Amino acid sequence: MLPTENRLRRREDFAIAVRRGRRAGRPLLVVHLRSGEPDPHVTGETVPPPRAGFVVSKAVGGAVVRTAVKRRLRHLVRDRLAQLPPGSLVVVRALPGSGDADQAQLARDLDAALQRLLGGGAR
């Protein structure tokens, strides 16, 4: 389970990450990253933790399949939160093939996309 302080919940935050962030596409998913901008909705001097949200459309599959994909992605992102800069917004959008993919394939695509977005990979 993704901790509450690391969840992306507001529509505006999803929109900021998707529209103003960088994007890396893989065969099973697309990752949008808006790095380390201070959250205008949080007052104070503290740096907010990285937050992640997920978009899994009906093209991925039925409700059971979509829920399973979201759970897998949440688990994978939770293990990678330490890699993300503080205050960053991450949106992981599952593509139709992700419904049939196993955990290792999703992890491989997520790692490749994050590595590219965080400066470790070439375009």
Side-chain angles (χ1 to χ4, degrees):
M1 188 83 157
L2 198 62
T4 303
E5 65 270 6
N6 296 113
R7 293 182 194 166
L8 202 58
R9 296 176 186 257
R10 299 178 56 241
R11 180 184 184 125
E12 296 84 16
D13 293 337
F14 275 87
I16 288 170
V18 171
R19 291 184 185 142
R20 296 184 187 165
R22 296 177 58 212
R23 178 182 69 213
R26 302 297 304 158
L28 299 176
L29 47 86
V30 177
V31 179
H32 300 268
L33 174 69
R34 174 77 170 164
S35 292
E37 296 294 319
D39 188 356
H41 307 291
V42 176
T43 58
E45 299 289 326
T46 62
V47 178
R51 294 181 295 153
F54 306 92
V55 178
V56 183
S57 74
K58 288 185 180 179
V60 172
V64 173
V65 173
R66 291 194 312 268
T67 301
V69 169
K70 279 187 268 191
R71 286 182 179 182
R72 288 180 186 165
L73 290 173
R74 274 198 305 261
H75 178 75
L76 292 170
V77 169
R78 180 189 67 196
D79 293 341
R80 290 154 179 81
L81 284 174
Q83 298 175 12
L84 301 173
S88 61
L89 304 176
V90 177
V91 173
V92 180
R93 183 166 43 97
L95 297 177
S98 61
D100 298 327
D102 63 5
Q103 188 82 355
Q105 292 171 318
L106 288 173
R108 198 170 30 253
D109 275 6
L110 181 62
D111 287 337
L114 286 175
Q115 183 179 11
R116 181 175 169 192
L117 289 172
L118 296 172
R123 284 192 165 206

